[in-house]
């Protein structure tokens, strides 16, 4: 199988434009056209993981965290990042990362955490903006149905759990074709008035090319009249963190025990337990302190995440319980999610989970 085929599947599930600006998700080492005959999946791409890929004949390593976040100016092997990249190139091993874009999809990292904690009625905690655009076009009445259907098939008109969404209004357009035109209706050199339908529909940024191809292919006019508007609307199914409800409220100590067991956490750093029981829970895989205000704003009783700094614990202000379970612990089941995503589409592809614990933090208990 070509690497590009697998990448297309992964980036359909978690589009690259969903990642944060600082991130470096995508193909880091390798060529999209290379043939891959086995993949190793891990949370982090460290030297022992690349060695494991070599041992098992895997020429692709897929990780959640990118091995490269910033530009590399030298490849001398002076640090683990350079050594990993050098070893991957030398052994013709492709490196691919699927990081905050996987965090931001509804069925991604935070869904896994929510399911392990038994949360119900979940939704994205902080929906992401700058993902939607609106297309407005004007089409003769008789051809409007065909054009709408083509746009829908290209991905336009999808809003959350609804599809084929559009707004339509009747009016008439005017135009006069020049000497070198071949108008679909009317005669060149004469102003023509045509009953038209104004079609408005939204689409995701990553679908723009397909939507525009459908527009130009199925619109009958020689010159297509259309407008595209960027939208500030946030897409409710894409974004950071997740919020949900436990079946039954738990006392603070019971809740922490449940989280520790469900997430295989070695230790939990937490704020003072509050007198009220915990029912509404916010979660965020990895470093989630930036979502504390959102968790408080939606009325969460607890926030399960990682990497809170000392002074940030004060920001809870006894409005909720922060449960910091550790970065690795919050995302360790992401590798299983990636294997499920790949095997659902390519059940016969050779893929394996790393045998290495890549957590750089050790605990003395």
């Amino acid at each position: 199988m070509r690497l590009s085929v697998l990448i297309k599947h992964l980036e359909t599930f978690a589009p690259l434009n969903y990642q944060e600006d600082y991130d470096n998700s995508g193909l880091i080492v390798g060529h999209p056209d290379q043939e891959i005959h086995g993949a190793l999946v891990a949370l982090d791409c460290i030297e022992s993981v690349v060695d494991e890929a070599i041992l098992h004949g895997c020429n692709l390593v897929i990780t959640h965290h990118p091995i490269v976040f910033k530009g590399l100016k030298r490849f001398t092997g002076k640090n683990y990042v350079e050594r990993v990249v050098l070893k991957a190139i030398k052994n013709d091993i492709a490196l691919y990362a699927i990081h905050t874009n996987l965090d931001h999809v509804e069925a991604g990292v935070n869904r896994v955490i929510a399911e392990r904690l038994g949360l119900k009625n979940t939704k994205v905690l902080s929906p992401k903006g700058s993902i939607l655009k609106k297309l407005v076009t004007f089409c003769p009445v008789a051809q409007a149905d065909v054009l709408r259907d083509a746009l829908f098939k290209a991905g336009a008109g999808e809003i959350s759990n609804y599809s084929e969404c559009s707004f339509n209004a009747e009016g008439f357009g005017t135009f006069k074709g020049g000497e070198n035109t071949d108008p679909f209706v009317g005669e060149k050199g004469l102003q023509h008035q045509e009953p038209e339908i104004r079609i408005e529909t939204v689409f995701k940024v990553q679908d723009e090319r397909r939507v525009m191809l459908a527009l130009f292919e199925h619109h009958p006019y020689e010159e297509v009249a259309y407008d595209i508007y960027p939208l500030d609307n946030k897409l409710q199914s894409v974004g950071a963190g997740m919020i949900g409800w436990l079946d039954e409220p738990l006392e603070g100590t019971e809740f922490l025990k449940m989280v520790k067991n469900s997430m295989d956490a070695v230790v939990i750093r937490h704020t003072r337990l509050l007198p009220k029981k915990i029912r509404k829970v916010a979660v965020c895989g990895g470093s989630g302190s930036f979502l504390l205000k959102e968790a408080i704003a939606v009325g969460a009783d607890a926030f399960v995440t990682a990497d809170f700094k000392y002074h940030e614990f004060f920001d809870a202000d006894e409005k909720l319980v922060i449960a910091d379970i550790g970065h690795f612990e919050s995302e360790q089941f992401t590798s299983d999610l990636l294997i499920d995503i790949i095997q659902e589409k390519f059940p016969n592809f050779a893929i394996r989970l790393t045998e290495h614990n890549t957590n750089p933090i050790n605990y003395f208990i």
Side-chain angles (χ1 to χ4, degrees):
M1 177 170 62
R2 288 189 184 274
L3 178 55
S4 58
V5 175
L6 180 57
I7 288 176
K8 181 179 179 180
H9 174 61
L10 291 173
E11 294 179 2
T12 298
F13 186 90
L16 286 182
N17 61 295
Y18 289 178
Q19 68 180 308
E20 294 291 345
D21 293 339
Y22 66 81
D23 203 3
N24 191 34
S25 294
L27 185 61
I28 296 173
V29 172
H31 194 281
D33 289 338
Q34 75 182 82
E35 289 290 328
I36 51 172
H37 45 259
L40 182 67
V41 177
L43 188 65
D44 306 282
C45 191
I46 57 178
E47 291 177 82
S48 60
V49 170
V50 178
D51 288 335
E52 185 180 2
I54 296 171
L55 177 65
H56 294 290
C58 299
N59 63 339
L60 170 64
V61 175
I62 303 172
T63 59
H64 184 46
H65 297 136
I67 181 60
V68 178
F69 271 104
K70 300 177 181 178
L72 298 177
K73 295 183 178 180
R74 295 176 179 83
F75 292 86
T76 61
K78 69 177 181 180
N79 58 49
Y80 85 99
V81 174
E82 293 181 10
R83 291 193 295 272
V84 166
V85 172
L86 283 169
K87 184 172 290 189
I89 294 173
K90 183 178 179 180
N91 290 276
D92 199 24
I93 295 175
L95 304 181
Y96 185 88
I98 180 167
H99 190 209
T100 52
N101 51 325
L102 187 61
D103 291 334
H104 288 158
V105 294
E106 198 170 23
V109 175
N110 295 305
R111 170 73 69 186
V112 173
I113 299 172
E115 289 178 349
R116 293 191 71 87
L117 297 182
L119 302 184
K120 305 294 173 61
N121 301 320
T122 55
K123 62 180 181 179
V124 172
L125 176 60
S126 180
K128 193 173 180 64
S130 301
I131 292 177
L132 295 173
K133 290 186 176 183
K134 175 181 280 190
L135 168 67
V136 177
T137 189
F138 308 86
C139 181
V141 175
Q143 287 76 32
D145 288 342
V146 172
L147 178 59
R148 260 194 309 269
D149 289 343
L151 294 174
F152 294 154
K153 289 178 181 177
E158 295 183 2
I159 303 176
S160 188
N161 294 321
Y162 292 84
S163 61
E164 302 187 8
C165 301
S166 69
F167 176 80
N168 303 269
E170 294 186 5
F172 67 89
T174 66
F175 51 85
K176 182 170 72 172
E179 184 64 28
N180 296 320
T181 62
D182 182 19
F184 176 72
V185 290
E187 297 181 23
K188 62 184 178 181
L190 298 176
Q191 187 193 83
H192 177 76
Q193 293 187 2
E194 179 68 21
E196 294 178 338
I197 299 291
R198 174 189 172 106
I199 303 172
E200 299 185 23
T201 187
V202 298
F203 61 88
K204 299 183 183 71
V205 170
Q206 64 268 24
D207 294 331
E208 182 166 352
R209 183 173 179 273
R210 290 192 297 128
V211 170
M212 296 310 296
L213 286 173
L215 173 65
F216 292 127
E217 182 178 348
H218 293 87
H219 199 293
Y221 283 173
E222 187 176 33
E223 292 290 340
V224 179
Y226 69 94
D227 301 308
I228 293 179
Y229 304 96
L231 300 178
D232 290 333
N233 306 50
K234 293 184 177 181
L235 187 57
Q236 298 300 312
S237 60
V238 175
M242 189 160 279
I243 188 80
W245 285 259
L246 296 169
D247 281 331
E248 298 293 336
L250 295 176
E251 297 287 353
T253 301
E254 293 176 329
F255 174 76
L256 292 178
K257 287 180 180 179
M258 182 274 290
V259 171
K260 187 173 185 291
N261 292 331
S262 299
M263 299 302 298
D264 288 346
V266 178
V267 64
I268 298 179
R269 300 188 305 147
H270 63 89
T271 53
R272 188 176 71 85
L273 298 180
L274 304 177
K276 65 176 181 178
K277 290 186 177 182
I278 294 172
R279 179 85 186 271
K280 192 174 184 179
V281 180
V283 303
C284 179
S287 304
S289 60
F290 70 100
L291 287 174
L292 179 60
K293 290 183 179 179
E294 284 83 352
I296 293 173
V298 299
D301 302 314
F303 183 25
V304 179
T305 185
D307 295 348
F308 263 84
K309 296 179 181 179
Y310 176 83
H311 289 95
E312 290 175 331
F313 280 91
F314 289 110
D315 294 333
D317 201 21
E318 297 196 345
K319 295 175 181 176
L320 51 62
V321 174
I322 295 172
D324 186 324
I325 64 175
H327 197 119
F328 175 86
E329 287 76 12
S330 71
E331 296 181 331
Q332 61 184 309
F333 305 106
T334 302
S335 297
D336 298 307
L337 170 64
L338 283 170
I339 289 178
D340 290 342
I341 293 169
I342 294 170
Q343 288 187 332
E344 182 180 2
K345 177 72 173 180
F346 309 105
N348 297 320
F349 178 65
I351 186 168
R352 60 187 299 136
L353 181 65
T354 182
E355 298 174 359
H356 289 83
N357 183 329
T358 63
N359 190 358
I361 299 172
N362 291 274
Y363 303 95
F364 183 79
I365 298 177

